[in-house]
Amino acid sequence: MKRAIIAMAGIATACAATYPVPVQRMADAQSARRSAVELGANNLPDAQLYLKLSEEEIAKANVLLKENENRRADFMLIRAKADGELAVAIARAKKSEAEEKQSLDQQKLRAKTIPFQGAR
Amino acid sequence: MKRATTIGVSLLFFAACAATAPKELLNARTAYNQASAGPAADANPAGLHSAKESLDAAEDSFSKHGATQETNDIAYVAGRRAQIAEANAREVQAIQRKEQQIAQASAAQGEQLQQTSADLERAKTQLGATHQQLADERQRREEAERQAAAALAAFATVKQEPRGMVITLSGSVLFASNKAELLPSARVKLNEVADALTKQDPKAKIIVEGNTDSQGSAPYNQELSRRRAESVRNYIVSRGFSADRIQARGNGLTNPIADNKSPEGRANNRRVEIVVQPVGAAQ
């Protein structure tokens, strides 16, 4: 029994050691986080939550990588990337909606200030 | 019995699995349902499809492996894919609405520009017509003035002075000695004067001034000159000239234009002057 447990522990350690370090996944997650920051997600309450989650997940992944938990770190980074991308998508949507409103306001203002309108 | 037990255990297992679906998977299902019922169906079908594939992968993992950590992670990502699809759809819709607004505004501006151009063209045409009318009117007036001046020249003198155009008629042509009633021959001549005055600027004002020589008393001459001026004024009004634009006054012997010592000088001083004041001139 003792031998079996030792064998299983050995296999588990080998598996952890053989799972590659998720370098690309880390780069993707950090890239998504940076994009969200650049789009102002920090200042948008809807997007801020997901940016924060992404940052926390990247931090957790770093801890897992130090513990040689590459597989867990990889999946944590998948979450981090998804949260970062969601923060980006929300920030972009908010930006477009703000631009739409600004355009509408400008057109309303222009309609009010054009002297010929309604004076025919 | 053994088979029934196996089936029962299996059912219990599946029921347990169904009941213990991880919250990540439940959230993913909710997020996908929300996204597919929202704008993503029309505005971002590709993103919604991708979210569906992620959700299917999570369901597959759950059915094969149960609520493992990996299943949870896959489901978590599937939920995010659905939310991303929805956010992207909102972005696309906002962009489309903005473009639509700009296109509508541009069309309205184009229409307005066309209308303004048409208005401007009409105004130009009207202005041109008005200019032509004014030119025609000026030409007619100048011609009338020329004809009137030519007609008047036969029995009157016309001079341009600071107080206006002054038409001087000899008293002997208009009145008998010491009388203020117009001679019949004078009426014919005054007809031409009245016609000429009627054709003048319709806003011009006229003063008829009677003047005498120095023979006789000043009060008598003052009264005679006033009555003569009144006679001329009344006659011109009777010819159609507006009464409120013509005044009469007597100067008596106070404004001689020649020496009263000679008969010729006195004849020149006995006169009626018709002063056509320029528009806006002080009385």
Side-chain angles (χ1 to χ4, degrees), chain B residues 96-261:
Chain B
Q96 285 173 342
R97 284 193 299 266
K98 182 184 164 192
E99 285 173 352
Q100 202 174 358
Q101 281 169 19
I102 291 170
Q104 283 173 348
S106 177
Q109 279 179 348
E111 191 182 329
Q112 191 181 356
L113 188 62
Q114 275 188 338
Q115 185 64 46
T116 306
S117 297
D119 288 349
L120 190 61
E121 204 53 45
R122 265 199 301 280
K124 273 185 187 173
T125 307
Q126 285 173 353
L127 189 63
T130 305
H131 278 164
Q132 188 57 48
Q133 283 175 352
L134 286 172
D136 292 349
E137 178 63 26
R138 188 166 58 243
Q139 195 176 0
R140 274 197 296 277
R141 186 172 298 162
E142 284 171 358
E143 178 62 19
E145 285 174 0
R146 195 185 59 74
Q147 288 177 356
L152 289 173
F155 60 94
T157 60
V158 181
K159 285 190 292 185
Q160 199 64 42
E161 295 183 9
R163 56 181 171 152
M165 183 176 73
V166 180
I167 302 165
T168 304
L169 302 164
S170 172
S172 59
V173 171
L174 300 175
F175 304 102
S177 182
N178 288 328
K179 299 286 185 188
E181 290 76 33
L182 289 168
L183 294 168
S185 60
R187 293 172 188 272
V188 178
K189 292 179 169 59
L190 277 178
N191 286 346
E192 294 179 28
V193 175
D195 291 346
L197 292 174
T198 306
K199 290 173 186 170
Q200 288 287 334
D201 188 334
K203 290 180 183 169
K205 295 202 169 180
I206 289 174
I207 298 174
V208 180
E209 294 181 349
N211 295 276
T212 65
D213 60 19
S214 61
Q215 290 187 321
S217 69
Y220 175 81
N221 281 323
Q222 177 70 35
E223 179 60 15
L224 178 64
S225 66
R226 188 193 64 75
R227 287 192 292 121
R228 284 180 169 179
E230 281 290 340
S231 291
V232 172
R233 176 193 177 274
N234 292 341
Y235 189 77
I236 291 171
V237 170
S238 75
R239 294 288 296 176
F241 196 87
S242 174
D244 58 359
R245 292 200 290 118
I246 181 166
Q247 294 177 0
R249 71 178 173 220
N251 292 333
L253 48 76
T254 58
N255 288 338
I257 56 171
D259 190 352
N260 275 310
K261 291 176 183 169

Side-chain angles (χ1 to χ4, degrees), chain A residues 50 57 71-72 75 78-79 83 85-86 89 92-93 96-97 100 103-104 107 110 114 117 120, chain B residues 24 69-70 72-73 76-77 80-81 83-84 87-88 90-91 94 97 101 105 109 112 115 119:
Chain A
Y50 300 104
E57 285 153 356
R71 187 178 176 81
R72 280 298 307 129
F75 276 85
I78 291 173
R79 285 187 178 223
D83 280 325
E85 286 174 347
L86 179 55
R92 287 170 62 98
S96 295
E97 285 165 353
E100 177 204 354
S103 169
L104 188 63
Q107 280 161 31
R110 195 176 296 135
I114 290 174
Q117 270 197 348
R120 244 165 236 127
Chain B
E24 284 88 347
Q69 184 58 48
E70 285 187 13
N72 293 352
D73 291 339
Y76 185 89
V77 172
R80 294 296 183 252
R81 289 267 166 269
Q83 289 175 284
I84 290 168
N88 286 343
R90 275 171 45 205
E91 181 191 1
R97 284 193 299 266
Q101 281 169 19
Q109 279 179 348
Q112 191 181 356
Q115 185 64 46
D119 288 349

Side-chain angles (χ1 to χ4, degrees), chain B residues 52-69:
Chain B
K52 181 71 170 70
E53 286 180 341
S54 293
L55 180 60
D56 289 346
E59 297 282 10
D60 188 51
S61 177
F62 177 58
S63 68
K64 284 180 180 166
H65 309 296
T68 62
Q69 184 58 48

